[in-house]
Amino acid sequence: MTQVLVPALMELNAVTYAYAGLSGSIDVLKGVTLRIKSGECIAVVGPSGSGKSTLLNCMGGLDKPGSGSILFDGTHLSEYSPEELARFRNREIGFVLQQHHLLPQCSVLENVLIPTLVAPHARESGERALMLLHQVGLAHRLHHRPQELSGGECQRVAVVRALINNPRLLLADEPTGSLNEESAVALVDLLMTLNREQGMAVVMVTHSPDLAERLGRTYRLHDGKLEMLP
């Protein structure tokens, strides 16, 4: 029987990336290759400074690889103009970075709805925001500003903001790092539910072995190389 190859949602082919250092360039990614299918959950582990955040930035079009290619749904990210790349990120990618980057002058609900300002269906977005904030335990904080929240609460707001536009791929950089155990479990449960019900693919950088085990495939990034762990 001929095996049918499932098309990749995102595909990285021999991706490299280097920083400019005082004594020359510093290679961070050295030919990384990875295929991510719709609805797949992947954990990326590795020592601090190994390039895990850089890998996510390249996948989301925030950083441009030195060589190699990154395709999303069969289209090379390098083919997008800056404006097209911004629209692509807004519609298709959800980012959860180590810093929450909430706007201090906006309430929790306003921060969550910022990505929808350039998208239609404002009413549906508002209802989705309320539902997601309830699921992460922040329904009572809708009108508070970031400076009135704990670090863990701000991180949960950032996660909901990343989910508000129904992204097809969520890129999460240590999303549970500032959360207590109860909040971390609830957040991961939410992501796993969205993965099952909506087919959202997840790539998560984590130092937690327990979290990595829940996500399915686990890769280790070390010395610029990505290898799948058993």
Side-chain angles (χ1 to χ4, degrees):
M1 180 182 294
T2 302
Q3 184 176 7
V4 178
L5 183 64
V6 178
L9 177 66
M10 176 167 278
E11 186 171 351
L12 286 72
N13 298 302
V15 169
T16 68
Y17 190 90
Y19 289 113
L22 294 177
S23 58
S25 63
I26 301 172
D27 294 326
V28 180
L29 303 179
K30 304 175 182 178
V32 170
T33 295
L34 177 66
R35 295 182 79 254
I36 305 162
K37 295 178 289 188
S38 294
E40 190 169 25
C41 291
I42 292 174
V44 179
V45 301
S48 297
S50 60
K52 301 184 299 296
S53 297
T54 299
L55 176 62
L56 292 189
N57 288 344
C58 288
M59 293 170 66
L62 295 174
D63 287 337
K64 183 178 181 180
S67 63
S69 62
I70 301 178
L71 294 82
F72 186 90
D73 224 2
T75 299
H76 289 263
L77 297 192
S78 59
E79 296 179 1
Y80 288 132
S81 67
E83 294 77 15
E84 290 170 334
L85 194 57
R87 285 195 295 270
F88 157 76
R89 284 194 294 262
N90 180 264
R91 295 172 182 172
E92 306 287 4
I93 306 292
F95 286 98
V96 183
L97 305 176
Q98 291 184 16
Q99 301 297 321
H100 52 73
H101 298 296
L102 301 181
L103 297 182
Q105 71 273 25
C106 294
S107 68
V108 164
L109 184 58
E110 289 168 340
N111 267 288
V112 166
L113 290 174
I114 284 172
T116 71
L117 295 177
V118 294
H121 313 303
R123 179 178 178 181
E124 290 85 346
S125 296
E127 293 171 352
R128 178 173 171 80
L130 295 175
M131 176 196 70
L132 291 172
L133 287 167
H134 174 77
Q135 288 182 279
V136 299
L138 291 176
H140 64 299
R141 294 290 211 176
L142 298 181
H143 304 296
H144 288 73
R145 289 192 165 86
Q147 56 268 33
E148 300 174 295
L149 307 178
S150 69
E153 287 173 328
C154 286
Q155 184 69 340
R156 280 181 277 165
V157 175
V159 170
V160 173
R161 180 183 58 191
L163 296 172
I164 191 63
N165 278 342
N166 289 300
R168 296 170 67 192
L169 173 63
L170 180 74
L171 302 175
D173 196 350
E174 289 285 356
T176 63
S178 61
L179 304 182
N180 60 38
E181 183 177 358
E182 182 181 358
S183 296
V185 169
L187 179 59
V188 174
D189 286 344
L190 171 61
L191 297 182
M192 296 298 97
T193 297
L194 294 172
N195 165 260
R196 290 191 305 270
E197 294 180 353
Q198 301 180 15
M200 179 184 70
V202 178
V203 177
M204 186 181 300
V205 166
T206 181
H207 287 289
S208 168
D210 292 337
L211 178 53
E213 187 175 351
R214 289 192 63 184
L215 293 178
R217 277 199 292 162
T218 299
Y219 287 84
R220 182 172 184 262
L221 186 61
H222 178 69
D223 194 27
K225 300 289 188 178
L226 195 66
E227 59 178 3
M228 188 168 67
L229 299 181

